[in-house]
């Protein structure tokens, strides 16, 4: 029996710049690590590369001025309401700078007590103490300050995001509500900034009579004045690059991962899966932040990563069907049960969470590489598809 199951390695790579062949960099980096660390590639190994270096190699950037130009084109009247932006300097500050520069009057409607990904403005206990119903009550900034005080700061960043977002222009007004249709009380022209609920928000606004409705996924969905773009996700998944630039979510990722897989297969003689990953999908138990601020965990992956795990719950079998067997009989029975399991286990998979491989693997990649200074934008996962009977 092999005594090690899944192994995850962060792979260091050269600093990626615009125009680089990112697929070749990934292949060379993985093969160099294998030589240096003396490990071999195996069938069904997974190579993940972070979306950040793919977008950098593509030079997929846009300026705040280019964002402003697209906003002016979509909202020529000059007045609009932003619905449900997340609270993030990295994710939203430069988007707000560009949007604010593209209009004459801007209403920002924040959800409360937290944004879509769990960043809290205030706690539920504070909501209860104030006697508010966040499902129905709309608050002005004056209402918000009266209920919660003049200084409400994020638990991790220590930022007062209400004050921070107002600082992007004298023409900005902050309101608080959780029904997207309340934005129409301030402007019939709305830009939906939510990520995973954007389709519902846009539908509700249109059904309620909004005159103009776009989402962040439709801003810079095509080049504007020579900008980068993303035809599917627009500004969603973007990050602050400089004080006046954002890096967009990468586009055309499928050819990249196919090339990585092909070249590693040729070099190793093994079947190698590949994926581009962004934010993982997991929740912080202290700050209550759900990490996934990208529109998807993985924008592209090889076909072998389709599907969800089809696993037996070993501890359930041990405590029930195999409880009266000795150690040798248990091992033999487990081995036979795994090899004989059906393609869709249903009840036999009791307790296993039905998540997609790409979301599980992408989250594993993101947790391993982090977003700081580890310098490992490439992740190699080995043994993930092994099981007790392998």
């Amino acid at each position: 029996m092999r005594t090690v199951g899944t192994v995850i390695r962060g792979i260091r790579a050269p600093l990626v710049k615009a125009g680089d062949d990112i697929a070749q960099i990934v292949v060379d980096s993985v093969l160099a690590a294998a030589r240096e660390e003396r490990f071999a590639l195996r069938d069904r190994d997974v190579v993940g590369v972070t979306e950040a270096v793919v977008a950098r190699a593509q030079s997929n950037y846009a300026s705040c001025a280019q964002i402003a130009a697209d906003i002016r084109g979509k909202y020529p009247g000059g007045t609009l309401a932003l619905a449900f932006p997340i609270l993030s300097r990295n994710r939203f500050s430069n988007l707000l700078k560009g949007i604010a520069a593209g209009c004459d009057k801007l209403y920002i409607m924040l959800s409360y007590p937290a944004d879509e990904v769990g960043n809290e403005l205030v706690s539920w206990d504070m909501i209860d103490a104030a006697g508010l119903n966040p499902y129905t009550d709309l608050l002005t900034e004056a209402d918000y300050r009266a209920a919660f005080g003049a200084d409400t700061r994020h638990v991790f960043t220590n930022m007062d995001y209400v004050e921070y977002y107002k600082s992007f222009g004298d023409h900005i007004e902050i309101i608080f509500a959780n029904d997207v249709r309340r934005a129409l009380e301030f402007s019939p022209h709305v830009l939906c900034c939510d990520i995973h609920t954007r389709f519902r928000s846009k539908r509700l606004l249109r059904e309620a009579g909004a005159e103009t409705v776009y989402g962040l996924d439709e801003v810079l969905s095509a080049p504007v004045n020579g900008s980068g773009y993303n035809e599917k996700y627009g500004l969603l998944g973007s990050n602050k690059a400089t004080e006046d630039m954002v890096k967009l979510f990468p586009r055309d990722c499928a050819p990249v991962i196919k090339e990585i897989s092909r070249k590693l297969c040729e070099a190793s003689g093994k079947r190698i899966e590949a994926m581009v990953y962004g934010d993982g999908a997991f929740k912080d138990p202290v700050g209550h932040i759900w990490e996934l601020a990208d529109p998807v965990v993985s924008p592209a992956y090889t076909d072998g990563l389709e599907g969800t795990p089809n696993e037996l719950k070993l501890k359930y079998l041990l405590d029930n069907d195999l409880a009266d067997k000795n150690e040798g009989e248990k091992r033999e029975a487990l081995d036979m049960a795994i090899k004989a399991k059906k393609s869709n286990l249903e009840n036999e998979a009791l307790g296993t969470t039905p998540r997609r491989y790409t979301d599980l693997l992408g989250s594993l990649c993101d947790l391993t590489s982090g977003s700081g200074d580890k310098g490992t934008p490439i992740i190699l996962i080995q043994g993930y598809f092994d099981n007790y009977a392998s």
Side-chain angles (χ1 to χ4, degrees):
M1 175 184 288
R2 201 167 68 229
T3 57
V4 175
T6 303
V7 175
I8 306 98
R9 290 181 172 91
I11 306 295
R12 294 228 157 87
L15 298 177
V16 177
K17 61 183 183 299
D20 281 348
D21 184 341
I22 188 62
Q24 191 62 54
I25 288 174
V26 172
V27 170
D28 291 344
S29 299
V30 170
L31 295 177
R35 289 192 299 270
E36 182 177 327
E37 298 297 321
R38 299 180 182 178
F39 63 82
L41 296 178
R42 302 202 300 259
D43 281 328
R44 300 298 309 276
D45 283 356
V46 180
V47 172
V49 55
T50 179
E51 57 83 20
V53 295
V54 178
R56 178 181 289 274
Q58 293 174 342
S59 192
N60 203 20
Y61 290 83
S63 69
C64 295
Q66 288 165 332
I67 295 172
D70 202 8
I71 293 296
R72 283 285 184 192
K74 288 180 165 62
Y75 299 92
T79 298
L80 72 148
L82 294 188
F84 305 152
I86 64 172
L87 307 175
S88 173
R89 289 168 293 177
N90 173 43
R91 291 288 189 170
F92 199 71
S93 62
N94 273 8
L95 304 190
L96 180 55
K97 183 185 292 187
I99 293 165
C103 64
D104 305 314
K105 179 64 179 179
L106 181 61
Y107 299 94
I108 302 177
M109 190 171 81
L110 300 176
S111 57
Y112 74 101
D115 70 7
E116 180 186 1
V117 295
N119 290 297
E120 288 187 343
L121 285 168
V122 293
S123 69
W124 275 103
D125 289 333
M126 294 169 72
I127 294 283
D128 294 339
L132 293 171
N133 182 347
Y135 301 105
T136 59
D137 294 343
L138 181 145
L139 308 178
T140 64
E141 186 182 351
D143 296 330
Y144 173 84
R145 295 300 185 188
F148 306 118
D151 187 18
T152 54
R153 295 181 178 271
H154 189 276
V155 63
F156 286 152
T157 66
N158 200 36
M159 289 289 297
D160 183 331
Y161 280 98
V162 176
E163 193 62 35
Y164 179 56
Y165 280 8
K166 276 192 67 179
S167 72
F168 284 85
D170 294 336
H171 61 311
I172 295 175
E173 186 174 329
I174 308 286
I175 53 178
F176 306 82
N178 290 308
D179 183 339
V180 70
R181 293 166 292 194
R182 302 299 295 270
L184 298 177
E185 298 175 26
F186 300 85
S187 173
H189 312 289
V190 184
L191 176 61
C192 295
C193 299
D194 44 346
I195 305 162
H196 307 290
T197 56
R198 63 189 185 275
F199 297 111
R200 178 175 184 266
S201 292
K202 287 188 276 190
R203 174 178 60 79
L204 289 174
L205 287 165
R206 292 184 180 115
E207 289 173 353
E211 294 180 23
T212 312
V213 179
Y214 290 100
L216 283 181
D217 55 334
E218 297 166 290
V219 180
L220 292 191
S221 57
V224 174
N225 300 335
S227 72
Y229 66 97
N230 190 301
E231 64 279 353
K232 187 172 183 180
Y233 298 118
L235 290 177
L236 292 180
S238 61
N239 299 86
K240 185 175 182 177
T242 71
E243 290 304 311
D244 293 296
M245 297 284 291
V246 295
K247 176 196 65 61
L248 302 178
F249 211 49
R251 61 181 188 270
D252 300 326
C253 294
V256 174
I257 55 100
K258 288 178 181 177
E259 187 71 357
I260 292 169
S261 177
R262 183 185 67 79
K263 288 186 173 182
L264 284 174
C265 289
E266 288 179 354
S268 66
K270 305 296 182 182
R271 174 186 174 185
I272 308 297
E273 307 291 353
M275 67 186 300
V276 175
Y277 69 91
D279 276 349
F282 45 83
K283 187 172 182 177
D284 179 84
V286 176
H288 308 145
I289 299 167
W290 183 40
E291 175 70 8
L292 188 56
D294 285 327
V296 290
V297 173
S298 176
Y301 47 87
T302 49
D303 293 343
L305 300 181
E306 283 282 3
T308 60
N310 188 50
E311 300 174 353
L312 291 167
K313 198 74 168 178
L314 293 189
K315 60 186 179 182
Y316 180 82
L317 291 174
L318 288 170
D319 289 340
N320 289 272
D321 298 9
L322 309 181
D324 297 328
K325 296 182 182 295
N326 63 40
E327 185 66 18
E329 290 172 334
K330 287 179 180 178
R331 286 179 176 272
E332 183 179 355
L334 286 175
D335 186 77
M336 292 176 61
I338 291 170
K339 290 178 178 177
K341 66 184 178 182
K342 295 179 291 186
S343 60
N344 183 3
L345 291 171
E346 298 177 350
N347 292 337
E348 291 94 331
L350 184 69
T352 57
T353 305
R355 296 178 64 189
R356 297 182 300 180
Y357 282 128
T358 51
D359 294 336
L360 291 163
L361 289 163
S363 298
L364 186 57
C365 288
D366 189 35
L367 283 166
T368 304
S369 65
S371 57
D373 58 6
K374 287 188 173 64
T376 55
I378 303 162
I379 304 298
L380 174 64
I381 302 172
Q382 297 189 293
Y384 186 82
F385 294 100
D386 290 357
N387 57 43
Y388 189 82
S390 295

